[in-house]
Amino acid sequence: MANNIRPHGPSLKQSRKTLRLTFRVVDHQIHLVGYERLGMIPPPLIGECPQAGKHGGFWIELRNASDRVLFHRVLDNPLGGSVEVHSRDGKIERKFGDVKDGIFEVLLPDEDDAKSVVLMGDPLVPTKGKTKRSETSGELAQFEIPGRGKGGE
């Protein structure tokens, strides 16, 4: 799997097109529920691509037909799981809970050679035991790029 990681930053030229993907999480299952092609420059790639089993958190990978990572975007916990609760006395607390339903969007370069997107990260259902979260990170869901081939935009 290490052969699909780009070790020296982006190899793509700056894209002039953006793909906006909308995902929905229902009962710990991730679904691609919408997409839109936009005529805008996508946000830039920042940092090296995280690696499953080595890094924790959440990220999305844009991959080609050879399963090589073309682009990645680190996601700020797209599943939520916590909210700020403000009390009348001015105190602010963060409350954590199990996320069973949620929607999030991701902007990626709309590249012709991209074939799939892969959501990576910590398990949606907590694992039992004292395993580090980063050791359990991996592929959560994979989707073909919508609109490619017959009938695509």
Side-chain angles (χ1 to χ4, degrees), residues 37-56:
R37 291 201 151 74
L38 306 170
M40 63 177 254
I41 296 172
L45 177 129
I46 299 174
E48 291 296 320
C49 189
Q51 296 178 29
K54 183 176 180 183
H55 298 104

PDB file of all heavy atoms in Angstrom, residues 37-56:
ATOM      1  N   ARG A  37     -20.051  19.744  -9.932  1.00  0.00           N
ATOM      2  CA  ARG A  37     -18.824  20.201 -10.579  1.00  0.00           C
ATOM      3  C   ARG A  37     -18.864  21.728 -10.617  1.00  0.00           C
ATOM      4  O   ARG A  37     -19.850  22.312 -11.058  1.00  0.00           O
ATOM      5  CB  ARG A  37     -18.719  19.613 -11.967  1.00  0.00           C
ATOM      6  CG  ARG A  37     -18.474  18.120 -11.895  1.00  0.00           C
ATOM      7  CD  ARG A  37     -17.881  17.564 -13.164  1.00  0.00           C
ATOM      8  NE  ARG A  37     -17.068  16.409 -12.880  1.00  0.00           N
ATOM      9  CZ  ARG A  37     -17.536  15.209 -12.567  1.00  0.00           C
ATOM     10  NH1 ARG A  37     -18.835  15.015 -12.478  1.00  0.00           N
ATOM     11  NH2 ARG A  37     -16.715  14.212 -12.322  1.00  0.00           N
ATOM     12  N   LEU A  38     -17.792  22.339 -10.112  1.00  0.00           N
ATOM     13  CA  LEU A  38     -17.731  23.794  -9.989  1.00  0.00           C
ATOM     14  C   LEU A  38     -16.571  24.351 -10.805  1.00  0.00           C
ATOM     15  O   LEU A  38     -15.496  23.758 -10.836  1.00  0.00           O
ATOM     16  CB  LEU A  38     -17.543  24.185  -8.516  1.00  0.00           C
ATOM     17  CG  LEU A  38     -18.564  23.619  -7.527  1.00  0.00           C
ATOM     18  CD1 LEU A  38     -18.123  23.885  -6.107  1.00  0.00           C
ATOM     19  CD2 LEU A  38     -19.930  24.221  -7.791  1.00  0.00           C
ATOM     20  N   GLY A  39     -16.768  25.485 -11.435  1.00  0.00           N
ATOM     21  CA  GLY A  39     -15.709  26.160 -12.186  1.00  0.00           C
ATOM     22  C   GLY A  39     -14.927  27.096 -11.282  1.00  0.00           C
ATOM     23  O   GLY A  39     -15.005  28.310 -11.433  1.00  0.00           O
ATOM     24  N   MET A  40     -14.205  26.527 -10.332  1.00  0.00           N
ATOM     25  CA  MET A  40     -13.416  27.327  -9.395  1.00  0.00           C
ATOM     26  C   MET A  40     -12.153  26.564  -9.023  1.00  0.00           C
ATOM     27  O   MET A  40     -12.081  25.346  -9.173  1.00  0.00           O
ATOM     28  CB  MET A  40     -14.214  27.648  -8.132  1.00  0.00           C
ATOM     29  CG  MET A  40     -14.610  26.434  -7.310  1.00  0.00           C
ATOM     30  SD  MET A  40     -15.482  26.862  -5.797  1.00  0.00           S
ATOM     31  CE  MET A  40     -14.214  26.541  -4.588  1.00  0.00           C
ATOM     32  N   ILE A  41     -11.157  27.268  -8.554  1.00  0.00           N
ATOM     33  CA  ILE A  41      -9.919  26.646  -8.086  1.00  0.00           C
ATOM     34  C   ILE A  41     -10.190  26.051  -6.710  1.00  0.00           C
ATOM     35  O   ILE A  41     -10.689  26.740  -5.824  1.00  0.00           O
ATOM     36  CB  ILE A  41      -8.780  27.686  -8.022  1.00  0.00           C
ATOM     37  CG1 ILE A  41      -8.471  28.200  -9.429  1.00  0.00           C
ATOM     38  CG2 ILE A  41      -7.543  27.093  -7.374  1.00  0.00           C
ATOM     39  CD1 ILE A  41      -7.490  29.361  -9.471  1.00  0.00           C
ATOM     40  N   PRO A  42      -9.870  24.761  -6.529  1.00  0.00           N
ATOM     41  CA  PRO A  42     -10.130  24.143  -5.215  1.00  0.00           C
ATOM     42  C   PRO A  42      -9.128  24.611  -4.168  1.00  0.00           C
ATOM     43  O   PRO A  42      -8.045  25.097  -4.507  1.00  0.00           O
ATOM     44  CB  PRO A  42      -9.957  22.654  -5.493  1.00  0.00           C
ATOM     45  CG  PRO A  42      -9.011  22.592  -6.643  1.00  0.00           C
ATOM     46  CD  PRO A  42      -9.283  23.818  -7.476  1.00  0.00           C
ATOM     47  N   PRO A  43      -9.471  24.456  -2.903  1.00  0.00           N
ATOM     48  CA  PRO A  43      -8.499  24.764  -1.847  1.00  0.00           C
ATOM     49  C   PRO A  43      -7.238  23.918  -2.053  1.00  0.00           C
ATOM     50  O   PRO A  43      -7.311  22.806  -2.578  1.00  0.00           O
ATOM     51  CB  PRO A  43      -9.221  24.367  -0.559  1.00  0.00           C
ATOM     52  CG  PRO A  43     -10.677  24.403  -0.912  1.00  0.00           C
ATOM     53  CD  PRO A  43     -10.753  24.017  -2.366  1.00  0.00           C
ATOM     54  N   PRO A  44      -6.072  24.442  -1.654  1.00  0.00           N
ATOM     55  CA  PRO A  44      -4.805  23.747  -1.932  1.00  0.00           C
ATOM     56  C   PRO A  44      -4.581  22.511  -1.061  1.00  0.00           C
ATOM     57  O   PRO A  44      -5.197  22.350  -0.016  1.00  0.00           O
ATOM     58  CB  PRO A  44      -3.757  24.809  -1.595  1.00  0.00           C
ATOM     59  CG  PRO A  44      -4.402  25.633  -0.534  1.00  0.00           C
ATOM     60  CD  PRO A  44      -5.861  25.686  -0.913  1.00  0.00           C
ATOM     61  N   LEU A  45      -3.678  21.684  -1.522  1.00  0.00           N
ATOM     62  CA  LEU A  45      -3.209  20.534  -0.756  1.00  0.00           C
ATOM     63  C   LEU A  45      -2.276  21.074   0.332  1.00  0.00           C
ATOM     64  O   LEU A  45      -1.429  21.915   0.059  1.00  0.00           O
ATOM     65  CB  LEU A  45      -2.443  19.584  -1.675  1.00  0.00           C
ATOM     66  CG  LEU A  45      -1.833  18.389  -0.979  1.00  0.00           C
ATOM     67  CD1 LEU A  45      -2.233  17.130  -1.724  1.00  0.00           C
ATOM     68  CD2 LEU A  45      -0.333  18.505  -0.968  1.00  0.00           C
ATOM     69  N   ILE A  46      -2.437  20.585   1.550  1.00  0.00           N
ATOM     70  CA  ILE A  46      -1.595  21.026   2.652  1.00  0.00           C
ATOM     71  C   ILE A  46      -0.987  19.816   3.333  1.00  0.00           C
ATOM     72  O   ILE A  46      -1.711  18.921   3.774  1.00  0.00           O
ATOM     73  CB  ILE A  46      -2.403  21.863   3.675  1.00  0.00           C
ATOM     74  CG1 ILE A  46      -2.964  23.102   2.992  1.00  0.00           C
ATOM     75  CG2 ILE A  46      -1.553  22.227   4.875  1.00  0.00           C
ATOM     76  CD1 ILE A  46      -3.894  23.921   3.842  1.00  0.00           C
ATOM     77  N   GLY A  47       0.320  19.763   3.408  1.00  0.00           N
ATOM     78  CA  GLY A  47       1.024  18.714   4.136  1.00  0.00           C
ATOM     79  C   GLY A  47       1.109  17.394   3.397  1.00  0.00           C
ATOM     80  O   GLY A  47       0.565  17.215   2.318  1.00  0.00           O
ATOM     81  N   GLU A  48       1.819  16.480   4.023  1.00  0.00           N
ATOM     82  CA  GLU A  48       1.982  15.134   3.480  1.00  0.00           C
ATOM     83  C   GLU A  48       0.725  14.314   3.739  1.00  0.00           C
ATOM     84  O   GLU A  48      -0.003  14.555   4.692  1.00  0.00           O
ATOM     85  CB  GLU A  48       3.197  14.442   4.123  1.00  0.00           C
ATOM     86  CG  GLU A  48       4.525  15.054   3.717  1.00  0.00           C
ATOM     87  CD  GLU A  48       4.816  14.911   2.232  1.00  0.00           C
ATOM     88  OE1 GLU A  48       4.525  13.830   1.658  1.00  0.00           O
ATOM     89  OE2 GLU A  48       5.319  15.874   1.638  1.00  0.00           O
ATOM     90  N   CYS A  49       0.513  13.310   2.920  1.00  0.00           N
ATOM     91  CA  CYS A  49      -0.655  12.454   3.045  1.00  0.00           C
ATOM     92  C   CYS A  49      -0.520  11.563   4.280  1.00  0.00           C
ATOM     93  O   CYS A  49       0.484  10.864   4.432  1.00  0.00           O
ATOM     94  CB  CYS A  49      -0.803  11.599   1.795  1.00  0.00           C
ATOM     95  SG  CYS A  49      -2.351  10.684   1.747  1.00  0.00           S
ATOM     96  N   PRO A  50      -1.519  11.567   5.165  1.00  0.00           N
ATOM     97  CA  PRO A  50      -1.488  10.656   6.318  1.00  0.00           C
ATOM     98  C   PRO A  50      -1.503   9.207   5.840  1.00  0.00           C
ATOM     99  O   PRO A  50      -1.932   8.911   4.720  1.00  0.00           O
ATOM    100  CB  PRO A  50      -2.778  10.985   7.076  1.00  0.00           C
ATOM    101  CG  PRO A  50      -3.231  12.287   6.549  1.00  0.00           C
ATOM    102  CD  PRO A  50      -2.712  12.402   5.155  1.00  0.00           C
ATOM    103  N   GLN A  51      -1.072   8.313   6.697  1.00  0.00           N
ATOM    104  CA  GLN A  51      -1.032   6.894   6.359  1.00  0.00           C
ATOM    105  C   GLN A  51      -1.887   6.099   7.331  1.00  0.00           C
ATOM    106  O   GLN A  51      -1.828   6.313   8.545  1.00  0.00           O
ATOM    107  CB  GLN A  51       0.406   6.389   6.403  1.00  0.00           C
ATOM    108  CG  GLN A  51       1.306   7.036   5.369  1.00  0.00           C
ATOM    109  CD  GLN A  51       2.734   6.550   5.484  1.00  0.00           C
ATOM    110  OE1 GLN A  51       2.979   5.424   5.907  1.00  0.00           O
ATOM    111  NE2 GLN A  51       3.675   7.388   5.116  1.00  0.00           N
ATOM    112  N   ALA A  52      -2.652   5.174   6.770  1.00  0.00           N
ATOM    113  CA  ALA A  52      -3.501   4.305   7.584  1.00  0.00           C
ATOM    114  C   ALA A  52      -2.628   3.490   8.532  1.00  0.00           C
ATOM    115  O   ALA A  52      -1.561   3.025   8.162  1.00  0.00           O
ATOM    116  CB  ALA A  52      -4.305   3.382   6.687  1.00  0.00           C
ATOM    117  N   GLY A  53      -3.085   3.364   9.767  1.00  0.00           N
ATOM    118  CA  GLY A  53      -2.349   2.597  10.762  1.00  0.00           C
ATOM    119  C   GLY A  53      -1.218   3.366  11.410  1.00  0.00           C
ATOM    120  O   GLY A  53      -0.689   2.951  12.428  1.00  0.00           O
ATOM    121  N   LYS A  54      -0.846   4.493  10.823  1.00  0.00           N
ATOM    122  CA  LYS A  54       0.227   5.326  11.375  1.00  0.00           C
ATOM    123  C   LYS A  54      -0.324   6.630  11.941  1.00  0.00           C
ATOM    124  O   LYS A  54       0.150   7.119  12.948  1.00  0.00           O
ATOM    125  CB  LYS A  54       1.268   5.614  10.295  1.00  0.00           C
ATOM    126  CG  LYS A  54       2.448   6.400  10.773  1.00  0.00           C
ATOM    127  CD  LYS A  54       3.491   6.570   9.682  1.00  0.00           C
ATOM    128  CE  LYS A  54       4.678   7.370  10.190  1.00  0.00           C
ATOM    129  NZ  LYS A  54       5.663   7.608   9.133  1.00  0.00           N
ATOM    130  N   HIS A  55      -1.318   7.196  11.260  1.00  0.00           N
ATOM    131  CA  HIS A  55      -1.909   8.468  11.673  1.00  0.00           C
ATOM    132  C   HIS A  55      -3.374   8.264  12.039  1.00  0.00           C
ATOM    133  O   HIS A  55      -4.045   7.398  11.475  1.00  0.00           O
ATOM    134  CB  HIS A  55      -1.808   9.503  10.544  1.00  0.00           C
ATOM    135  CG  HIS A  55      -0.405   9.815  10.163  1.00  0.00           C
ATOM    136  ND1 HIS A  55       0.178   9.318   9.021  1.00  0.00           N
ATOM    137  CD2 HIS A  55       0.548  10.539  10.784  1.00  0.00           C
ATOM    138  CE1 HIS A  55       1.425   9.736   8.941  1.00  0.00           C
ATOM    139  NE2 HIS A  55       1.675  10.486  10.009  1.00  0.00           N
ATOM    140  N   GLY A  56      -3.851   9.077  12.955  1.00  0.00           N
ATOM    141  CA  GLY A  56      -5.253   9.061  13.339  1.00  0.00           C
ATOM    142  C   GLY A  56      -5.976  10.230  12.709  1.00  0.00           C
ATOM    143  O   GLY A  56      -5.409  11.002  11.952  1.00  0.00           O
TER     144      GLY A  56
END
